[in-house]
Amino acid sequence: MGLLWIVATGSYWDVSASPPEPYRVLRVYDGDTILVSGADKRHVIRLLGIDAPETSKGKGEPGQPFSKQARRYLAGLILDRTVTLAVYGEDRYHRVLAVVYYESRDINHAMIQAGLAEVYRGRTPDGFAKAPYLATEAEARKTHTGMWQQGDDYVSPIRWKHPR
């Protein structure tokens, strides 16, 4: 088993030596970004390994199809609840990259299973296993779950943000 790291007071520690720190989910920004509070600090968390449909970034601009559903679904799973985090570092925006767990359930995986996120196609940190996420995404696509019901009209969030 690889090492899991939990953020606390700006440092990292091996969770095999201590139980995971609990965090309260204060806000769900979108289908893959949340705000948590714990150990007297707040952290913006980017759910590692997933990419949810993009929300509107400006007034009057529509978000990507299924972006509102993804945000609402994630909020229904974890908003105002206590979660634990398996942290893999930070991204370039200084968000904590983590797998979020609620009552031992991998919430990142749950978003893919619901068809409200795809597997992140970019580089992921060492020790993060994408294979289970990819298998779940393939099943969601096959059964046209959530955003996959768009068929050929589906646009990956990365392409939505950066059209060519």
Side-chain angles (χ1 to χ4, degrees), residues 21-32:
E21 179 78 27
Y23 290 89
R24 187 82 174 167
V25 179
L26 303 176
R27 184 171 177 186
V28 174
Y29 292 106
D30 56 31
D32 54 30

Side-chain angles (χ1 to χ4, degrees), residues 82-99:
T82 300
V83 299
T84 56
L85 308 172
V87 174
Y88 291 80
E90 287 187 349
D91 67 8
R92 65 183 175 176
Y93 304 108
H94 305 290
R95 298 175 299 187
V96 175
L97 296 171
V99 177

Side-chain angles (χ1 to χ4, degrees), residues 158-164:
I158 193 70
R159 294 288 169 244
W160 182 271
K161 280 189 284 194
H162 306 287
R164 292 182 193 201

Side-chain angles (χ1 to χ4, degrees), residues 31-45:
D32 54 30
T33 311
I34 62 174
L35 176 67
V36 299
S37 176
D40 297 324
K41 286 193 164 201
R42 290 181 177 206
H43 302 281
V44 176
I45 308 299

Side-chain angles (χ1 to χ4, degrees), residues 68-89:
K68 290 179 183 176
Q69 294 93 323
R71 184 187 166 283
R72 281 194 302 263
Y73 186 77
L74 183 57
L77 292 174
I78 60 173
L79 184 61
D80 295 325
R81 294 192 170 96
T82 300
V83 299
T84 56
L85 308 172
V87 174
Y88 291 80

Side-chain angles (χ1 to χ4, degrees), residues 97-150:
L97 296 171
V99 177
V100 177
Y101 293 93
Y102 175 66
E103 295 182 346
S104 301
R105 183 178 185 195
D106 178 341
I107 299 303
N108 306 30
H109 188 259
M111 292 298 292
I112 295 170
Q113 192 170 36
L116 295 171
E118 69 176 29
V119 177
Y120 179 70
R121 298 299 190 240
R123 191 171 165 278
T124 54
D126 291 341
F128 176 74
K130 271 190 188 179
Y133 287 20
L134 289 167
T136 298
E137 180 186 297
E139 182 62 24
R141 282 178 182 256
K142 180 178 157 187
T143 58
H144 304 284
T145 302
M147 64 190 189
W148 303 115
Q149 65 191 263
Q150 296 173 82

